[in-house]
C-alpha cells in the first residue's frame, strides 16, 4: 500500500470523526440558526422567526438528539471505537450530514418573512434582486430536501449504516455488514 493511500485513508477517517463530532454542537446551533439565521446577515425578521422558534426548532432539537443517540448506540454496538474520540459515521452519512448543513444555511437566505404589514421578502430578494416567487420556490425545495436528508440520516442510523466499514475484512472475521446484505438471496 502506498503512502498516498494510507494518508488518504487517515484523512477520510478524520473527516468522518469530525462529522460525528459536528452532531454535538448542531443540537443547539441548528435550531438557533433556523430561528434567527436570516437576520444575522441583514435579512428581514418577522413573525416566521417566532413561529419557527416555537414549532420547528423544538422538533429539530429533538431530531438532532435522536440522531446523535442513534450514532452513539451504533458505535457502542460495534465497539470498534476505543473511546468517544474515535467515534465516527460512515462516508455516505457524512456526505448526507454536510449536505443537510448546507441546505439549512442556504434556506435562511431564501426564506420569505413577514410582519404586520405583510410579506417583507427574503435576503435573496433584497440583496440579490431575485423575484419573490423564485425565492419562495427555492425555500420550499431546500426545506423539503433538508427534511428528506434528516429522515434519511435517521433511517440509516436505525439500520446501522452509520459506521465506517472496515477496509480489511480479515479484522472483522472475514465478513462485513455489507457482505451480509449482498449475500442474501431474494425470496420469490
Amino acid at each position: 500500500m502506498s503512502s498516498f493511500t494510507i494518508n488518504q485513508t487517515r484523512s477520510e477517517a478524520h473527516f468522518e470523526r469530525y462529522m460525528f463530532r459536528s452532531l454535538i454542537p448542531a443540537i443547539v446551533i441548528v435550531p438557533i440558526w433556523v430561528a434567527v439565521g436570516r437576520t444575522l446577515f441583514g435579512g428581514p425578521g418577522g413573525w416566521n422567526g417566532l413561529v419557527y422558534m416555537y414549532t420547528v426548532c423544538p422538533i429539530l432539537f429533538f431530531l438532532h438528539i435522536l440522531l446523535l443517540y442513534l450514532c452513539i448506540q451504533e458505535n457502542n454496538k460495534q465497539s470498534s471505537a476505543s473511546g468517544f474520540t474515535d467515534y465516527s459515521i460512515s462516508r455516505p452519512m457524512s456526505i448526507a450530514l454536510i449536505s443537510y448543513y448546507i441546505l439549512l444555511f442556504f434556506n435562511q437566505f431564501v426564506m420569505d418573512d413577514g410582519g404586520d404589514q405583510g410579506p417583507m421578502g427574503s435576503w435573496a430578494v433584497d440583496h440579490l434582486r431575485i423575484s419573490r416567487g423564485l425565492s419562495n420556490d427555492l425555500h420550499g425545495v431546500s426545506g423539503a430536501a433538508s427534511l428528506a436528508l434528516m429522515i434519511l440520516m435517521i433511517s440509516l442510523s436505525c439500520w446501522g449504516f452509520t459506521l465506517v466499514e472496515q477496509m480489511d475484512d480479515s479484522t472483522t472475521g472475514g465478513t462485513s455488514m455489507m457482505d451480509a446484505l449482498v449475500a442474501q438471496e431474494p425470496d420469490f
Side-chain angles (χ1 to χ4, degrees), residues 21-182:
R21 291 177 191 159
S22 76
L23 291 170
I24 297 166
I27 291 171
V28 175
I29 292 172
V30 167
I32 290 172
W33 174 255
V34 168
V36 298
R38 69 199 153 282
T39 59
L40 295 176
F41 291 96
W47 290 109
N48 283 350
L50 289 174
V51 170
Y52 274 39
M53 188 182 315
Y54 294 110
T55 57
V56 175
C57 293
I59 294 169
L60 280 175
F61 181 78
F62 170 75
L63 289 175
H64 278 269
I65 288 177
L66 177 64
L67 184 61
L68 177 64
Y69 173 77
L70 291 171
C71 290
I72 289 172
Q73 287 300 106
E74 187 59 33
N75 274 280
N76 286 339
K77 267 196 267 180
Q78 297 295 328
S79 69
S80 63
S82 61
F84 189 75
T85 57
D86 290 337
Y87 283 8
S88 62
I89 56 179
S90 68
R91 175 59 57 137
M93 184 79 159
S94 297
I95 292 169
L97 187 60
I98 204 161
S99 300
Y100 171 75
Y101 292 154
I102 291 168
L103 282 169
L104 285 178
F105 185 78
F106 174 75
N107 195 356
Q108 292 301 302
F109 292 103
V110 294
M111 181 179 171
D112 191 7
D113 210 340
D116 292 334
Q117 287 90 23
M120 295 187 293
S122 67
W123 182 91
V125 169
D126 293 343
H127 299 308
L128 300 178
R129 304 288 184 228
I130 66 171
S131 71
R132 185 171 285 161
L134 177 60
S135 178
N136 288 339
D137 291 344
L138 291 172
H139 171 66
V141 169
S142 63
S146 62
L147 177 64
L149 280 171
M150 177 54 89
I151 291 169
L152 173 71
M153 289 185 296
I154 289 175
S155 300
L156 289 174
S157 299
C158 288
W159 290 323
F161 293 111
T162 57
L163 289 180
V164 178
E165 292 292 325
Q166 298 289 332
M167 295 194 70
D168 180 15
D169 289 338
S170 63
T171 60
T172 60
T175 61
S176 69
M177 195 180 336
M178 291 305 290
D179 290 340
L181 290 174
V182 173

Side-chain angles (χ1 to χ4, degrees), residues 1-18 91 167:
M1 185 180 280
S2 70
S3 63
F4 175 73
T5 307
I6 292 170
N7 289 337
Q8 184 181 9
T9 304
R10 285 183 186 154
S11 67
E12 288 174 359
H14 287 298
F15 173 70
E16 291 152 356
R17 277 191 215 115
Y18 290 136
R91 175 59 57 137
M167 295 194 70

